[in-house]
Amino acid sequence: MESTTEKPFGVHDIREAAARLTAYVVRTPLLSSPVLDAEVGGRILIKAECLQITGSFKFRGALNTLLSLTSKECASGVAAYSAGNHGQGVAAAAAMFGCPSVIVMPDTAPRIKVEGCRWWGAEVVFYDPRRQDRHQVIGEIARERGTVVIPPFDDHRVMAGQGTVGLELAEQLAEKGVRPDAVLVPCSGGGLSAGVTAAVVARYPDAAIHVVEPAGMAKMARSLVTGRPEARDPRRVTIMDGLSGPRVGRRPLTALRAYAVCGLEVTDEEAMRGMAAAFAHLKLVLEPAGAAALAAVLADRIDVRDRTVAVIASGGNVDPSVFARALGVT
């Protein structure tokens, strides 16, 4: 039974995580493009987490959690369920410390993400999301093998690791001598958005924070209104697989409700236009979910004219066929 007196999540957790992770993670660049700035009439700064180890921010939270394990727990191995990026993050973190890993993935997961997990030495176990529950699948594995399950978002250690993205962002903005009017974060379960929000608002309390979700699947935006973790409509599908998790996390939702966070939505077509723009003007390869925040800016979901807006480009693990489609979008 979970404790009802759990310590509130905050920037102190993120700073502690940063101290642990500095020697292992990439301090990803904060990029800009005069072409994009001219197109939207404002200043757009892109935090390129697609250049992180494993190609996404997920490595941060996975490693922060793994570093909290005892040597005995590590020797027993770790397990995770994932559409791909969290799995790769867990697999990479485990490989760095000689810890066995098992990644439970839907049989619809992008091939590049499956191959990424295997490259880091993980055992991949597939499940059918149409008739199997991933929690049951991983629960059986954990019981049989004695592995430690590293959740993708609903854990303060994971949230703190993801929050180091926001801590770096705040530092890089300060180095440039600019204050953000708004920060846009792709959101599924909420681990990244909760961490980034806590870190950014601690330094820039007036910055408007927006979570970006697939159109028609805005479960976090609904959760912020109802105050309870909402699920997405399982009948809807999106090319933004990294943002298509079934439900938001209780802990990320609790953390985000402490701030005035607003939700934005983008379509699959807009996400692909964001991918094309990132490649054309920044030479970045983004997956659809990773381009969602930039897509929201380019699709005029918020007014950025004469404002400074930072967006998180959260991942770049895209199958070549999908990337080719995106580059053909006009």
Side-chain angles (χ1 to χ4, degrees):
M1 183 175 180
E2 292 182 323
S3 170
T4 58
T5 58
E6 189 172 63
K7 187 174 76 170
F9 175 77
V11 71
H12 57 280
D13 298 292
I14 300 167
R15 290 177 178 142
E16 290 175 359
R20 286 189 289 270
L21 300 182
T22 297
Y24 304 101
V25 302
V26 175
R27 189 179 193 254
T28 53
L30 188 62
L31 305 175
S32 63
S33 162
V35 177
L36 290 177
D37 289 352
E39 180 177 337
V40 301
R43 186 174 186 183
I44 310 303
L45 297 166
I46 297 93
K47 178 67 169 161
E49 274 298 292
C50 53
L51 302 179
Q52 186 55 254
I53 296 171
T54 73
S56 90
F57 71 95
K58 288 286 191 176
F59 174 67
R60 297 173 183 263
L63 182 58
N64 190 50
T65 306
L66 189 137
L67 289 174
S68 74
L69 302 182
T70 65
S71 57
K72 182 179 179 180
E73 288 173 325
C74 191
S76 297
V78 294
Y81 55 81
S82 170
N85 283 338
H86 177 59
Q88 290 181 91
V90 170
M96 285 184 173
F97 293 92
C99 178
S101 63
V102 181
I103 309 301
V104 174
M105 305 183 75
D107 56 17
T108 55
R111 181 178 176 183
I112 191 172
K113 296 181 178 181
V114 175
E115 291 176 347
C117 291
R118 286 175 170 158
W119 189 92
W120 286 103
E123 175 189 349
V124 175
V125 175
F126 291 107
Y127 73 98
D128 182 350
R130 294 170 293 276
R131 61 182 184 83
Q132 291 179 286
D133 181 271
R134 62 186 187 178
H135 294 94
Q136 292 180 352
V137 174
I138 201 169
E140 291 175 4
I141 291 172
R143 285 191 295 273
E144 291 173 1
R145 307 189 190 189
T147 56
V148 177
V149 176
I150 298 182
F153 49 81
D154 201 7
D155 184 291
H156 282 179
R157 297 166 298 179
V158 173
M159 293 160 59
Q162 320 305 30
T164 60
V165 176
L167 206 62
E168 287 181 8
L169 171 61
E171 292 168 353
Q172 290 165 318
L173 289 167
E175 289 164 5
K176 291 178 180 291
V178 298
R179 299 183 66 85
D181 294 297
V183 177
L184 277 62
V185 192
C187 181
S188 183
L192 176 65
S193 52
V196 168
T197 297
V200 169
V201 172
R203 189 155 195 166
Y204 300 106
D206 296 329
I209 308 295
H210 300 271
V211 295
V212 184
E213 302 177 271
M217 301 171 67
K219 54 188 182 290
M220 182 58 82
R222 288 189 291 111
S223 299
L224 289 168
V225 173
T226 65
R228 61 178 182 269
E230 298 288 352
R232 71 172 178 86
D233 184 343
R235 297 168 297 181
R236 300 186 70 95
V237 295
T238 175
I239 197 171
M240 292 173 269
D241 60 278
L243 303 182
S244 64
R247 186 180 297 272
V248 307
R250 177 182 63 80
R251 292 174 181 86
L253 174 60
T254 298
L256 283 172
R257 293 197 79 211
Y259 307 95
V261 177
C262 298
L264 303 173
E265 298 182 31
V266 292
T267 66
D268 285 357
E269 292 74 18
E270 289 164 346
M272 288 196 288
R273 292 190 187 102
M275 294 166 64
F279 183 71
H281 305 305
L282 299 162
K283 312 312 172 196
L284 291 178
V285 175
L286 298 181
E287 62 189 272
L294 177 59
V297 172
L298 298 178
D300 296 324
R301 291 296 183 271
I302 65 168
D303 181 11
V304 301
R305 187 162 297 278
D306 300 322
R307 304 175 76 207
T308 297
V309 177
V311 303
I312 308 298
S314 56
N317 294 310
V318 56
D319 279 339
S321 60
V322 175
F323 192 61
R325 283 175 56 197
L327 296 189
V329 173
T330 60

